[in-house]
Amino acid sequence: GENVEQHPSTLSVQEGDSAVIKCTYSDSASNYFPWYKQELGKRPQLIIDIRSNVGEKKDQRIAVTLNKTAKHFSLHITETQPEDSAVYFCAAPVRPGSQGNLIFGKGTKLSVKP
Amino acid sequence: NAGVTQTPKFQVLKTGQSMTLQCAQDMNHEYMSWYRQDPGMGLRLIHYSVGAGITDQGEVPNGYNVSRSTTEDFPLRLLSAAPSQTSVYFCASSYSIQGWVTEAFFGQGTRLTVV
């Protein structure tokens, strides 16, 4: 089955700086890579996702890049704000044929200092 | 449209007791999953389903059973609760369009304590 590794586990940046979180996956057949944000005491919520037929996707200050050859994908947050402080999780499908059932990385706790 | 509904929100069990965590979705999603979340361990997949009548084991299935008799419901059963099962449990559902999967929606979670 799929295995997802996520780094770093904690990340502290100054407000206005950029933040980058990286994930690797093991199954070359995986074709869907979402990123979730979880605020303290709340459920995870999708912030951006990418499919294997594109290399990059942007949504305002957030972008995700995918390198299928190297089997890694990254989350980029620009112009960070205090409200970006949260735990971020990357994910990939548990196996081909179960693309809607996800395996998650262990998470990155992002702290944005004012 | 309620989304993904989990019950109960909080539960305290004694070691050895059994119970069922309920999960229901009203979005006709084919994919459903159960996760447990422990500090520093992220979201670990317990069991999952790709449709009614089909279930499979995830990363940490021991001590848990599931069934999927309908598209809407995906209950998680703890057979004999142990303190190691103290955790926050999330249920999630998603669907696919033209072969591409879409966003997974999470329930609000169940905080379970086993004493």
Coordinates of all heavy atoms in Angstrom, one line a residue, chain A residues 23-104:
Chain A
C23 N 6.3 16.5 0.8 CA 5.8 15.2 1.0 C 6.3 14.3 -0.1 O 6.4 14.7 -1.2 CB 4.3 15.1 1.1 SG 3.6 15.8 2.6
T24 N 6.6 13.0 0.3 CA 7.0 12.0 -0.7 C 5.9 10.9 -0.6 O 5.4 10.6 0.5 CB 8.4 11.5 -0.5 OG1 8.4 10.9 0.8 CG2 9.4 12.6 -0.6
Y25 N 5.7 10.2 -1.7 CA 4.8 9.0 -1.7 C 5.5 7.9 -2.4 O 6.5 8.0 -3.1 CB 3.5 9.4 -2.4 CG 3.6 9.8 -3.8 CD1 3.4 8.9 -4.9 CD2 3.9 11.1 -4.2 CE1 3.5 9.3 -6.2 CE2 4.0 11.5 -5.5 CZ 3.8 10.6 -6.5 OH 3.9 10.9 -7.8
S26 N 5.0 6.7 -2.2 CA 5.7 5.5 -2.7 C 5.1 4.8 -3.9 O 5.8 4.2 -4.7 CB 5.7 4.4 -1.5 OG 4.4 4.1 -1.1
D27 N 3.7 5.0 -4.1 CA 3.1 4.3 -5.2 C 3.0 5.1 -6.4 O 2.3 6.1 -6.4 CB 1.7 3.9 -4.7 CG 1.0 2.9 -5.7 OD1 1.4 2.9 -6.9 OD2 0.1 2.2 -5.2
S28 N 3.7 4.8 -7.5 CA 3.7 5.6 -8.7 C 2.3 5.6 -9.4 O 2.1 6.4 -10.3 CB 4.8 5.0 -9.7 OG 4.5 3.6 -9.9
A29 N 1.4 4.7 -9.0 CA 0.1 4.7 -9.6 C -0.9 5.8 -8.9 O -1.9 6.0 -9.5 CB -0.6 3.4 -9.5
S30 N -0.4 6.4 -7.8 CA -1.3 7.4 -7.2 C -1.5 8.6 -8.1 O -0.6 9.0 -8.8 CB -0.6 7.9 -5.9 OG -0.7 6.8 -4.9
N31 N -2.7 9.1 -8.1 CA -3.0 10.2 -9.1 C -3.7 11.4 -8.4 O -4.2 12.3 -9.1 CB -3.8 9.7 -10.3 CG -5.2 9.3 -9.8 OD1 -5.6 9.3 -8.7 ND2 -6.0 8.8 -10.8
Y32 N -3.8 11.4 -7.1 CA -4.5 12.5 -6.5 C -3.8 12.9 -5.2 O -3.5 12.0 -4.3 CB -5.9 12.1 -6.2 CG -6.8 13.1 -5.4 CD1 -7.1 14.3 -6.0 CD2 -7.2 12.9 -4.1 CE1 -7.8 15.3 -5.3 CE2 -8.0 13.8 -3.4 CZ -8.3 15.0 -4.0 OH -9.0 15.9 -3.4
F33 N -3.5 14.2 -5.0 CA -2.7 14.6 -3.8 C -3.3 15.9 -3.2 O -3.0 17.0 -3.6 CB -1.2 14.8 -4.3 CG -0.6 13.7 -5.0 CD1 -0.7 13.6 -6.4 CD2 -0.1 12.6 -4.3 CE1 -0.2 12.5 -7.1 CE2 0.4 11.5 -5.0 CZ 0.4 11.4 -6.4
P34 N -4.0 15.7 -2.1 CA -4.6 16.8 -1.5 C -3.8 17.3 -0.3 O -3.0 16.6 0.3 CB -6.0 16.3 -1.0 CG -5.7 14.8 -0.7 CD -4.6 14.4 -1.7
W35 N -4.1 18.5 0.1 CA -3.5 19.1 1.3 C -4.7 19.6 2.2 O -5.6 20.2 1.7 CB -2.6 20.3 1.0 CG -1.3 19.9 0.4 CD1 -1.0 19.7 -0.9 CD2 -0.1 19.6 1.2 NE1 0.3 19.4 -1.0 CE2 0.9 19.3 0.2 CE3 0.3 19.7 2.5 CZ2 2.2 19.0 0.6 CZ3 1.6 19.4 2.9 CH2 2.5 19.0 1.9
Y36 N -4.6 19.3 3.5 CA -5.6 19.6 4.5 C -5.0 20.5 5.6 O -3.8 20.4 6.0 CB -6.2 18.4 5.1 CG -7.2 17.7 4.2 CD1 -6.7 16.9 3.2 CD2 -8.5 17.9 4.4 CE1 -7.6 16.3 2.3 CE2 -9.4 17.3 3.5 CZ -9.0 16.5 2.5 OH -9.9 15.9 1.6
K37 N -5.8 21.4 6.1 CA -5.4 22.3 7.2 C -6.3 22.0 8.4 O -7.5 21.8 8.2 CB -5.6 23.8 6.8 CG -5.4 24.8 7.9 CD -5.7 26.2 7.4 CE -5.4 27.2 8.4 NZ -5.8 28.6 8.0
Q38 N -5.7 21.8 9.5 CA -6.5 21.5 10.7 C -6.2 22.5 11.8 O -5.0 22.6 12.3 CB -6.3 20.1 11.2 CG -7.2 19.7 12.4 CD -6.9 18.3 12.8 OE1 -5.8 17.7 12.7 NE2 -8.0 17.6 13.3
E39 N -7.1 23.3 12.2 CA -7.0 24.2 13.3 C -7.3 23.5 14.6 O -8.0 22.4 14.6 CB -7.9 25.4 13.1 CG -7.5 26.2 11.9 CD -8.4 27.4 11.6 OE1 -9.6 27.4 12.1 OE2 -8.0 28.3 10.8
L40 N -6.8 24.0 15.7 CA -6.9 23.3 17.0 C -8.4 23.0 17.3 O -9.2 23.9 17.3 CB -6.3 24.2 18.1 CG -6.0 23.5 19.4 CD1 -5.1 22.3 19.3 CD2 -5.5 24.5 20.4
G41 N -8.6 21.7 17.6 CA -10.0 21.3 18.0 C -11.0 21.2 16.9 O -12.1 20.9 17.2
K42 N -10.5 21.3 15.7 CA -11.5 21.3 14.5 C -11.1 20.1 13.6 O -10.1 19.5 13.7 CB -11.4 22.6 13.8 CG -11.9 23.8 14.6 CD -12.1 25.0 13.8 CE -12.6 26.2 14.6 NZ -12.8 27.4 13.8
R43 N -12.0 19.9 12.7 CA -11.8 18.8 11.7 C -10.9 19.3 10.6 O -10.8 20.5 10.3 CB -13.2 18.4 11.1 CG -13.8 19.3 10.2 CD -15.2 19.0 9.8 NE -16.1 19.4 10.9 CZ -17.5 19.2 10.8 NH1 -18.0 18.5 9.9 NH2 -18.2 19.6 11.8
P44 N -10.2 18.4 9.9 CA -9.3 18.8 8.8 C -10.2 19.3 7.6 O -11.3 18.8 7.4 CB -8.7 17.5 8.4 CG -8.7 16.6 9.6 CD -10.0 16.9 10.2
Q45 N -9.7 20.3 6.9 CA -10.4 20.8 5.8 C -9.5 21.0 4.6 O -8.3 21.4 4.8 CB -11.1 22.2 6.1 CG -12.2 22.0 7.1 CD -13.1 23.3 7.2 OE1 -12.6 24.3 7.4 NE2 -14.4 23.1 7.0
L46 N -10.0 20.7 3.4 CA -9.1 20.7 2.2 C -8.8 22.2 1.9 O -9.7 23.1 1.9 CB -9.9 20.1 1.0 CG -9.2 20.1 -0.3 CD1 -8.2 19.0 -0.3 CD2 -10.2 20.0 -1.4
I47 N -7.5 22.4 1.6 CA -7.1 23.8 1.2 C -6.7 23.8 -0.3 O -6.9 24.8 -1.0 CB -6.0 24.4 2.0 CG1 -4.8 23.4 2.1 CG2 -6.5 24.7 3.4 CD1 -3.6 24.1 2.7
I48 N -6.2 22.7 -0.8 CA -5.8 22.7 -2.2 C -5.5 21.2 -2.5 O -5.1 20.4 -1.7 CB -4.6 23.6 -2.5 CG1 -4.5 23.8 -4.1 CG2 -3.3 23.0 -1.9 CD1 -3.5 24.9 -4.4
D49 N -5.7 20.8 -3.8 CA -5.3 19.5 -4.2 C -4.8 19.5 -5.7 O -5.0 20.5 -6.4 CB -6.5 18.5 -4.1 CG -7.7 19.0 -4.9 OD1 -7.6 19.9 -5.7 OD2 -8.8 18.4 -4.7
I50 N -4.1 18.5 -6.0 CA -3.5 18.4 -7.4 C -3.7 17.0 -7.9 O -3.6 16.0 -7.1 CB -2.1 18.9 -7.4 CG1 -1.6 19.1 -8.8 CG2 -1.2 17.9 -6.6 CD1 -0.2 19.8 -8.9
R51 N -4.0 16.9 -9.2 CA -4.1 15.6 -9.8 C -2.8 15.3 -10.7 O -2.1 16.3 -11.1 CB -5.3 15.5 -10.7 CG -6.6 15.6 -9.8 CD -7.8 15.8 -10.6 NE -9.0 15.9 -9.7 CZ -10.2 16.3 -10.0 NH1 -10.4 16.7 -11.2 NH2 -11.2 16.3 -9.1
S52 N -2.6 14.1 -11.0 CA -1.3 13.7 -11.6 C -1.1 14.2 -13.0 O -0.1 14.1 -13.6 CB -1.2 12.2 -11.6 OG -2.2 11.6 -12.2
N53 N -2.2 14.8 -13.6 CA -2.1 15.2 -15.0 C -1.6 16.7 -15.1 O -1.5 17.3 -16.2 CB -3.4 15.1 -15.8 CG -4.5 15.8 -15.1 OD1 -4.4 16.3 -14.0 ND2 -5.6 15.9 -15.8
V54 N -1.3 17.3 -13.9 CA -0.8 18.7 -13.9 C 0.4 18.7 -13.0 O 0.6 17.9 -12.1 CB -1.8 19.7 -13.5 CG1 -3.0 19.8 -14.4 CG2 -2.3 19.4 -12.1
G55 N 1.3 19.7 -13.2 CA 2.5 19.8 -12.4 C 2.4 20.9 -11.3 O 3.2 20.8 -10.3
E56 N 1.5 21.8 -11.4 CA 1.4 22.9 -10.4 C 0.0 23.4 -10.4 O -0.7 23.5 -11.5 CB 2.4 24.0 -10.8 CG 2.4 25.1 -9.7 CD 3.5 26.2 -10.0 OE1 4.1 26.1 -11.1 OE2 3.6 27.1 -9.2
K57 N -0.5 23.9 -9.3 CA -1.8 24.5 -9.1 C -1.7 25.6 -8.1 O -1.1 25.4 -7.1 CB -2.8 23.4 -8.7 CG -4.2 23.9 -8.6 CD -5.2 22.7 -8.2 CE -6.6 23.2 -8.1 NZ -7.5 22.0 -7.7
K58 N -2.3 26.7 -8.4 CA -2.3 27.9 -7.5 C -3.7 28.3 -7.1 O -4.6 28.2 -7.9 CB -1.5 29.0 -8.1 CG -0.1 28.8 -8.3 CD 0.6 30.1 -8.9 CE 2.1 29.9 -9.1 NZ 2.7 31.1 -9.7
D59 N -3.8 28.8 -5.9 CA -5.1 29.4 -5.4 C -4.7 30.5 -4.5 O -4.4 30.3 -3.3 CB -5.9 28.3 -4.7 CG -7.3 28.9 -4.2 OD1 -7.5 30.1 -4.5 OD2 -8.0 28.2 -3.6
Q60 N -4.6 31.7 -5.0 CA -4.2 32.9 -4.3 C -2.8 32.7 -3.6 O -1.9 32.6 -4.4 CB -5.3 33.3 -3.2 CG -6.7 33.5 -3.9 CD -7.7 33.9 -2.9 OE1 -7.7 33.7 -1.7 NE2 -8.8 34.6 -3.3
R61 N -2.7 32.7 -2.3 CA -1.4 32.6 -1.7 C -0.9 31.2 -1.6 O 0.2 30.9 -1.1 CB -1.4 33.2 -0.3 CG -1.8 34.7 -0.3 CD -1.6 35.3 1.1 NE -2.6 34.7 2.0 CZ -2.3 33.9 3.0 NH1 -1.1 33.5 3.2 NH2 -3.3 33.4 3.8
I62 N -1.7 30.2 -2.0 CA -1.3 28.8 -1.8 C -1.1 28.2 -3.2 O -1.8 28.4 -4.1 CB -2.5 28.1 -1.1 CG1 -2.6 28.6 0.3 CG2 -2.2 26.6 -1.1 CD1 -3.8 28.0 1.1
A63 N 0.0 27.3 -3.2 CA 0.3 26.6 -4.4 C 0.8 25.2 -4.1 O 1.3 25.0 -3.0 CB 1.4 27.3 -5.3
V64 N 0.5 24.3 -5.0 CA 1.0 22.9 -4.8 C 1.8 22.5 -6.1 O 1.3 22.8 -7.2 CB -0.1 21.9 -4.5 CG1 -1.2 21.9 -5.5 CG2 0.5 20.5 -4.3
T65 N 2.9 21.9 -5.9 CA 3.7 21.4 -7.1 C 3.8 19.9 -6.9 O 3.9 19.3 -5.8 CB 5.1 22.0 -7.1 OG1 5.8 21.8 -5.9 CG2 5.0 23.5 -7.3
L66 N 3.9 19.2 -8.1 CA 4.0 17.8 -8.1 C 5.1 17.3 -9.0 O 5.2 17.8 -10.2 CB 2.6 17.2 -8.6 CG 2.6 15.7 -8.9 CD1 2.9 14.9 -7.6 CD2 1.3 15.3 -9.5
N67 N 6.0 16.5 -8.6 CA 7.0 15.9 -9.4 C 6.8 14.4 -9.4 O 7.1 13.7 -8.4 CB 8.4 16.2 -8.8 CG 9.6 15.7 -9.6 OD1 9.5 14.6 -10.2 ND2 10.7 16.4 -9.7
K68 N 6.2 13.9 -10.4 CA 5.8 12.5 -10.5 C 7.1 11.6 -10.6 O 7.1 10.5 -10.1 CB 4.9 12.2 -11.7 CG 3.5 12.8 -11.5 CD 2.5 12.3 -12.6 CE 2.9 12.9 -13.9 NZ 2.0 12.6 -15.0
T69 N 8.1 12.0 -11.3 CA 9.3 11.2 -11.5 C 9.9 11.0 -10.1 O 10.3 9.8 -9.8 CB 10.3 12.0 -12.4 OG1 9.7 12.2 -13.6 CG2 11.5 11.1 -12.6
A70 N 10.0 12.0 -9.3 CA 10.7 11.9 -8.0 C 9.7 11.4 -6.9 O 10.0 11.1 -5.8 CB 11.3 13.2 -7.6
K71 N 8.4 11.4 -7.3 CA 7.3 11.0 -6.3 C 7.3 11.9 -5.1 O 7.3 11.4 -4.0 CB 7.4 9.5 -6.0 CG 7.0 8.6 -7.2 CD 6.9 7.2 -6.8 CE 8.2 6.5 -6.6 NZ 8.1 5.1 -6.4
H72 N 7.3 13.2 -5.4 CA 7.1 14.1 -4.2 C 6.2 15.3 -4.7 O 6.1 15.6 -5.8 CB 8.4 14.5 -3.6 CG 9.3 15.4 -4.4 ND1 9.0 16.7 -4.7 CD2 10.5 15.1 -4.9 CE1 10.0 17.2 -5.4 NE2 10.9 16.3 -5.6
F73 N 5.6 15.9 -3.7 CA 4.7 17.1 -3.9 C 4.9 18.0 -2.7 O 5.2 17.6 -1.6 CB 3.3 16.7 -4.2 CG 2.6 15.9 -3.1 CD1 1.6 16.5 -2.3 CD2 2.9 14.6 -2.9 CE1 1.0 15.7 -1.3 CE2 2.3 13.8 -1.9 CZ 1.3 14.4 -1.1
S74 N 4.7 19.3 -3.0 CA 5.0 20.3 -2.0 C 3.9 21.4 -1.9 O 3.3 21.7 -2.9 CB 6.3 21.0 -2.3 OG 7.4 20.1 -2.3
L75 N 3.7 21.9 -0.7 CA 2.8 23.0 -0.5 C 3.6 24.3 -0.2 O 4.5 24.3 0.5 CB 1.9 22.7 0.8 CG 0.9 23.8 1.2 CD1 -0.2 23.9 0.2 CD2 0.4 23.5 2.6
H76 N 3.2 25.3 -1.0 CA 3.9 26.6 -0.8 C 2.8 27.6 -0.4 O 1.8 27.8 -1.0 CB 4.4 27.0 -2.2 CG 5.4 26.0 -2.8 ND1 6.7 26.2 -2.8 CD2 5.1 24.9 -3.4 CE1 7.3 25.2 -3.4 NE2 6.4 24.3 -3.8
I77 N 3.1 28.3 0.7 CA 2.3 29.4 1.2 C 3.1 30.7 1.2 O 4.2 30.7 1.8 CB 1.8 29.1 2.6 CG1 1.1 27.8 2.7 CG2 0.8 30.3 3.1 CD1 0.6 27.4 4.1
T78 N 2.7 31.7 0.4 CA 3.4 32.9 0.4 C 2.7 34.0 1.2 O 1.5 33.8 1.6 CB 3.4 33.4 -1.1 OG1 2.1 33.6 -1.6 CG2 4.2 32.5 -2.0
E79 N 3.4 35.0 1.6 CA 2.9 36.1 2.4 C 2.1 35.6 3.6 O 0.9 35.9 3.8 CB 2.0 37.0 1.5 CG 2.8 37.6 0.3 CD 1.9 38.4 -0.6 OE1 0.7 38.8 -0.2 OE2 2.2 38.6 -1.8
T80 N 2.8 34.8 4.4 CA 2.1 34.1 5.5 C 1.4 35.1 6.5 O 2.0 36.2 6.7 CB 3.0 33.2 6.3 OG1 4.2 33.9 6.6 CG2 3.4 32.0 5.4
Q81 N 0.3 34.7 7.0 CA -0.4 35.5 8.0 C -0.6 34.7 9.3 O -0.6 33.5 9.2 CB -1.7 36.0 7.4 CG -1.6 36.8 6.1 CD -2.9 36.9 5.3 OE1 -3.9 36.5 5.8 NE2 -2.8 37.6 4.2
P82 N -0.8 35.4 10.4 CA -1.0 34.6 11.7 C -2.2 33.6 11.6 O -2.1 32.5 12.2 CB -1.4 35.7 12.7 CG -0.7 36.9 12.1 CD -0.8 36.8 10.6
E83 N -3.2 33.9 10.8 CA -4.3 32.9 10.6 C -3.9 31.7 9.8 O -4.7 30.7 9.7 CB -5.5 33.6 10.0 CG -5.3 34.3 8.7 CD -5.0 35.8 9.0 OE1 -4.4 36.2 10.0 OE2 -5.5 36.6 8.1
D84 N -2.7 31.7 9.2 CA -2.2 30.4 8.6 C -1.7 29.4 9.6 O -1.4 28.3 9.2 CB -1.1 30.8 7.6 CG -1.6 31.6 6.4 OD1 -2.8 31.4 6.0 OD2 -0.8 32.4 5.9
S85 N -1.5 29.9 10.8 CA -1.0 29.0 11.9 C -2.0 27.8 12.1 O -3.2 28.1 12.4 CB -0.8 29.7 13.2 OG 0.2 30.7 13.0
A86 N -1.5 26.6 11.9 CA -2.3 25.4 12.0 C -1.4 24.2 11.7 O -0.2 24.3 11.5 CB -3.5 25.5 11.0
V87 N -2.1 23.0 11.7 CA -1.4 21.8 11.3 C -1.8 21.5 9.9 O -3.0 21.5 9.6 CB -1.6 20.6 12.3 CG1 -0.9 19.4 11.8 CG2 -1.2 21.0 13.7
Y88 N -0.8 21.2 9.0 CA -1.1 20.9 7.6 C -0.7 19.4 7.4 O 0.3 18.9 7.8 CB -0.3 21.8 6.7 CG -0.7 23.3 6.8 CD1 -0.3 24.1 7.8 CD2 -1.6 23.8 5.9 CE1 -0.7 25.4 7.9 CE2 -2.1 25.1 5.9 CZ -1.6 25.9 7.0 OH -2.1 27.2 7.1
F89 N -1.6 18.8 6.6 CA -1.4 17.4 6.3 C -1.4 17.2 4.8 O -2.3 17.7 4.1 CB -2.5 16.5 6.9 CG -2.6 16.4 8.4 CD1 -3.4 17.2 9.1 CD2 -1.7 15.5 9.0 CE1 -3.5 17.2 10.5 CE2 -1.8 15.5 10.4 CZ -2.6 16.3 11.1
C90 N -0.5 16.4 4.3 CA -0.6 16.0 2.9 C -1.2 14.6 2.9 O -1.2 13.9 3.9 CB 0.8 16.0 2.2 SG 2.0 14.8 3.0
A91 N -1.6 14.1 1.7 CA -2.3 12.8 1.6 C -2.1 12.3 0.2 O -1.9 13.0 -0.8 CB -3.7 12.9 2.0
A92 N -2.4 10.9 0.1 CA -2.4 10.3 -1.2 C -3.3 9.1 -1.1 O -3.6 8.6 0.0 CB -1.0 9.8 -1.6
P93 N -3.8 8.6 -2.2 CA -4.8 7.4 -2.1 C -4.1 6.2 -1.5 O -2.9 5.9 -1.8 CB -5.1 7.2 -3.6 CG -4.9 8.5 -4.2 CD -3.7 9.1 -3.5
V94 N -4.9 5.4 -0.7 CA -4.3 4.3 -0.1 C -3.8 3.2 -1.1 O -2.9 2.5 -0.8 CB -5.3 3.7 0.9 CG1 -6.6 3.2 0.2 CG2 -4.7 2.5 1.7
R95 N -4.5 3.1 -2.2 CA -4.1 2.2 -3.3 C -4.9 2.5 -4.5 O -5.9 3.1 -4.5 CB -4.4 0.7 -2.8 CG -5.9 0.4 -2.6 CD -6.1 -1.1 -2.3 NE -7.4 -1.4 -1.9 CZ -8.4 -1.6 -2.8 NH1 -8.2 -1.5 -4.1 NH2 -9.7 -1.9 -2.4
P96 N -4.4 2.0 -5.7 CA -5.2 2.2 -6.9 C -6.5 1.5 -6.8 O -6.6 0.5 -6.2 CB -4.3 1.5 -8.0 CG -2.9 1.5 -7.4 CD -3.1 1.4 -5.9
G97 N -7.6 2.2 -7.3 CA -8.9 1.7 -7.1 C -9.6 2.2 -5.9 O -10.8 2.0 -5.7
S98 N -8.8 2.8 -5.0 CA -9.4 3.4 -3.8 C -8.9 4.8 -3.7 O -8.4 5.3 -2.6 CB -9.0 2.6 -2.5 OG -9.6 1.4 -2.5
Q99 N -9.0 5.6 -4.8 CA -8.5 6.9 -4.8 C -9.1 7.9 -3.8 O -8.6 8.9 -3.4 CB -8.6 7.5 -6.2 CG -7.9 6.7 -7.3 CD -6.4 6.7 -7.2 OE1 -5.8 7.5 -6.5 NE2 -5.7 5.9 -8.0
G100 N -10.4 7.5 -3.4 CA -11.1 8.4 -2.4 C -10.8 8.1 -1.0 O -11.3 8.7 -0.1
N101 N -10.0 7.0 -0.7 CA -9.6 6.7 0.6 C -8.1 7.0 0.8 O -7.3 6.6 0.0 CB -9.8 5.2 0.9 CG -11.2 4.7 0.6 OD1 -11.5 4.0 -0.4 ND2 -12.2 5.2 1.4
L102 N -7.8 7.9 1.7 CA -6.5 8.6 1.8 C -5.6 8.1 2.9 O -6.1 7.8 4.0 CB -6.7 10.1 1.9 CG -7.5 10.7 0.8 CD1 -7.8 12.2 1.2 CD2 -6.8 10.6 -0.5
I103 N -4.3 8.1 2.6 CA -3.3 7.9 3.6 C -2.7 9.3 3.8 O -2.3 10.0 2.9 CB -2.2 6.9 3.1 CG1 -2.7 5.5 3.1 CG2 -0.9 7.0 4.0 CD1 -2.9 4.8 4.4
F104 N -2.5 9.7 5.1 CA -2.0 11.0 5.5 C -0.6 11.0 6.0 O -0.1 10.0 6.6 CB -2.9 11.6 6.5 CG -4.2 12.1 6.0 CD1 -5.3 11.2 5.8 CD2 -4.4 13.5 5.7 CE1 -6.5 11.7 5.4 CE2 -5.6 13.9 5.2 CZ -6.6 13.0 5.0

